[in-house]
Amino acid sequence: MDATDEVIELCRDLLRIDTTNTGDLETSAGERLAAEYVAEKLAEVGLEPQIHESAPGRASVVARFEGSDPGRDALLIHGHLDVVPADASEWSVDPFGGEIKDGYLWGRGAVDMKDFDAMVLALVRQMRREGRKPPRDVVLAFVADEEAGSTYGAQYLVEKHAHHFDGVTEAIGEVGGFSVSVGGDQRLYLIETAQKGIDWLRLHAKGRPGHGSMINDDNAVTAVAEAVARVGRHRFPVIMTPTVRTFLEQVSEILQIELDLDNPEQAVEKIGPIAMIIGATLRNTANPTRLAAGYKDNVIPGRASATIDCRTLPGQSELFEQQLRDLVGPDIELEYIHRQAALETTFDGALVEAMTAALKAEDPGALPVPYMLSGGTDAKQFDKLGIRCFGFSPVRLPADLNFGALFHGIDERIPVEGLQFGVRVLDRFLQQS
């Protein structure tokens, strides 16, 4: 079976394995089953996959596909097998049914990121059947727990099984290489060369506990609420990073819009549906997400807390922390609950040339540009090994599809033709990488 046909079958199979990651060991499910499925598909074509279980049921798969020149530095291709929860009552289809309709394959994980997992599996299986080798060794990693911070997946592999990545200097993974139509027969293809850091924080306020009927001018709930309001309404200053500057300069020229680097938001407003994604990479952000206080309606608690989801630009983490401390005030305690550094690399080199050539060969209207992801991926873990990471999971999308809204969204789906396009691009890319 040709890879462009098999990718549909593989993706359907993966979507039908419920790998919901709730962030809780007790309620997350399916990662072991998915890992076994992937390992079986790799073993069928003669590779020797290894399954590593970091905790009961939390399994990842790693295999090395030997290239024609084992003396060269190796390439890592990584994808995650877990998905965020889906409430079936909100969907028009079964989120784990793998249904095909209207030219799309529907299901939780269709774009995040079982589509790419299936593309890689289909291509590798075809190459092995045909006796083709990549120019250099390719390490394949299909991992657990990306959706809850990578602790039981990529982080575990990096800390406990780093030998799998010996000789690896570059990597490709999710959220890059997707198309954005810009009129005529031209499409931007956003290749991820940077991503913001993750700083999940808790704010803690202490006060004087007491009866809810009394006057209390030292109320912890009031203190944390005021701090949360200041954070939630604050806009941190614009900071122009190299990746965002390059993106805006190139896209402004393509779209023929005026770019004022002292006021880039004016240009961002004119770039269409991706404005929300790009806008979030102009500055550090801090969004309150949770509040916790009290245990009874008529008791003023002595402590109140709030969770803040902070995303920081490359090189800005320390400055941001000081800005945040100034914002919340000296009486509020800051506690880091999860912290991952931002990443940034340049949009150049042989690997970028291979991505660009592969995209243009399959889509003559392709305009590859670098961009920064406002979220985070497993690349943050592999970066710790000195691996240069890119987001490149190529897919050509219909002009009217709001791709960004499908990530963690309702009725997640991927165009069948987009899956097949991705396989062809990856095939060309691997042969040139």
Side-chain angles (χ1 to χ4, degrees), residues 212-382:
S213 66
M214 301 296 179
I215 295 174
N216 190 317
D217 57 4
D218 188 19
N219 189 313
V221 176
T222 302
V224 83
E226 289 174 341
V228 165
R230 288 194 295 273
V231 171
R233 294 193 180 101
H234 186 71
R235 292 295 174 267
F236 291 87
V238 169
I239 298 174
M240 192 64 64
T241 58
T243 293
V244 175
R245 177 189 290 268
T246 301
F247 171 88
L248 289 175
E249 289 175 343
Q250 293 187 9
V251 172
S252 295
E253 182 176 349
I254 292 166
L255 299 180
Q256 296 184 326
I257 59 178
E258 184 178 350
L259 172 62
D260 178 358
L261 290 175
D262 292 326
N263 188 12
E265 289 173 303
Q266 288 185 343
V268 170
E269 291 172 357
K270 300 174 183 177
I271 63 176
I274 58 171
M276 182 176 292
I277 296 173
I278 303 304
T281 63
L282 292 175
R283 51 167 50 88
N284 299 316
T285 59
N287 284 306
T289 56
R290 300 180 70 181
L291 293 167
Y295 55 89
K296 198 172 185 295
D297 292 347
N298 63 348
V299 176
I300 298 171
R303 185 177 177 87
S305 302
T307 303
I308 311 293
D309 183 344
C310 306
R311 307 296 173 120
T312 52
L313 295 167
Q316 296 296 312
S317 185
E318 291 185 8
L319 175 61
F320 171 81
E321 180 180 334
Q322 185 57 56
Q323 292 173 332
L324 189 65
R325 288 189 182 278
D326 292 342
L327 191 60
V328 300
D331 296 330
I332 300 294
E333 175 191 345
L334 296 187
E335 175 196 4
Y336 280 93
I337 55 177
H338 190 77
R339 197 172 195 183
Q340 294 184 5
L343 308 179
E344 187 165 32
T345 188
T346 51
F347 190 58
D348 57 17
L351 202 69
V352 170
E353 292 172 3
M355 295 177 201
T356 299
L359 286 167
K360 287 182 173 292
E362 291 297 327
D363 181 0
L367 300 167
V369 294
Y371 91 108
M372 179 184 295
L373 178 67
S374 59
T377 73
D378 285 324
K380 292 182 184 300
Q381 302 301 322
F382 297 119

Side-chain angles (χ1 to χ4, degrees), residues 74-322:
L75 172 71
L76 168 65
I77 302 179
H78 61 94
H80 63 85
L81 297 171
D82 62 321
V83 299
V84 297
D87 183 346
S89 67
E90 298 176 333
W91 286 54
S92 64
V93 298
D94 178 356
F96 299 103
E99 184 175 334
I100 297 177
K101 71 170 186 175
D102 303 328
Y104 288 83
L105 180 52
W106 300 61
R108 175 58 86 217
V111 300
D112 189 13
M113 60 172 300
K114 291 179 177 179
D115 57 336
F116 184 63
D117 296 334
M119 291 178 205
V120 174
L121 274 178
L123 175 58
V124 168
R125 284 168 59 82
Q126 177 172 298
M127 291 177 66
R128 295 288 293 183
R129 288 192 297 265
E130 295 174 350
R132 290 193 288 138
K133 288 186 174 184
R136 52 173 166 166
D137 284 9
V138 174
V139 176
L140 307 167
F142 301 84
V143 305
D145 199 36
E146 191 275 344
E147 296 292 4
S150 307
T151 302
Y152 297 101
Q155 180 178 326
Y156 174 79
L157 291 178
V158 166
E159 292 178 353
K160 303 295 184 181
H161 299 282
H163 63 279
H164 285 303
F165 310 104
D166 287 348
V168 173
T169 57
E170 297 171 311
I172 61 169
E174 65 176 323
V175 205
F178 56 92
S179 70
V180 177
S181 295
V182 291
D185 195 31
Q186 290 189 315
R187 281 155 294 281
L188 302 176
Y189 282 86
L190 277 62
I191 296 174
E192 181 204 309
T193 58
Q195 52 183 252
K196 294 176 82 173
I198 300 174
D199 296 272
W200 291 342
L201 290 157
R202 285 204 181 99
L203 309 184
H204 299 290
K206 295 179 180 179
R208 186 177 72 252
H211 199 285
S213 66
M214 301 296 179
I215 295 174
N216 190 317
D217 57 4
D218 188 19
N219 189 313
V221 176
T222 302
V224 83
E226 289 174 341
V228 165
R230 288 194 295 273
V231 171
R233 294 193 180 101
H234 186 71
R235 292 295 174 267
F236 291 87
V238 169
I239 298 174
M240 192 64 64
T241 58
T243 293
V244 175
R245 177 189 290 268
T246 301
F247 171 88
L248 289 175
E249 289 175 343
Q250 293 187 9
V251 172
S252 295
E253 182 176 349
I254 292 166
L255 299 180
Q256 296 184 326
I257 59 178
E258 184 178 350
L259 172 62
D260 178 358
L261 290 175
D262 292 326
N263 188 12
E265 289 173 303
Q266 288 185 343
V268 170
E269 291 172 357
K270 300 174 183 177
I271 63 176
I274 58 171
M276 182 176 292
I277 296 173
I278 303 304
T281 63
L282 292 175
R283 51 167 50 88
N284 299 316
T285 59
N287 284 306
T289 56
R290 300 180 70 181
L291 293 167
Y295 55 89
K296 198 172 185 295
D297 292 347
N298 63 348
V299 176
I300 298 171
R303 185 177 177 87
S305 302
T307 303
I308 311 293
D309 183 344
C310 306
R311 307 296 173 120
T312 52
L313 295 167
Q316 296 296 312
S317 185
E318 291 185 8
L319 175 61
F320 171 81
E321 180 180 334
Q322 185 57 56

Side-chain angles (χ1 to χ4, degrees), residues 15-51:
L15 291 174
R16 288 169 174 169
I17 303 173
D18 181 352
T19 54
T20 297
N21 185 352
T22 64
D24 183 348
L25 285 175
E26 298 299 321
T27 55
S28 295
E31 287 171 331
R32 175 80 199 196
L33 185 60
E36 290 173 349
Y37 174 88
V38 169
E40 178 184 354
K41 294 300 180 182
L42 294 174
E44 282 177 359
V45 293
L47 293 178
E48 298 179 355
Q50 294 186 44
I51 295 178

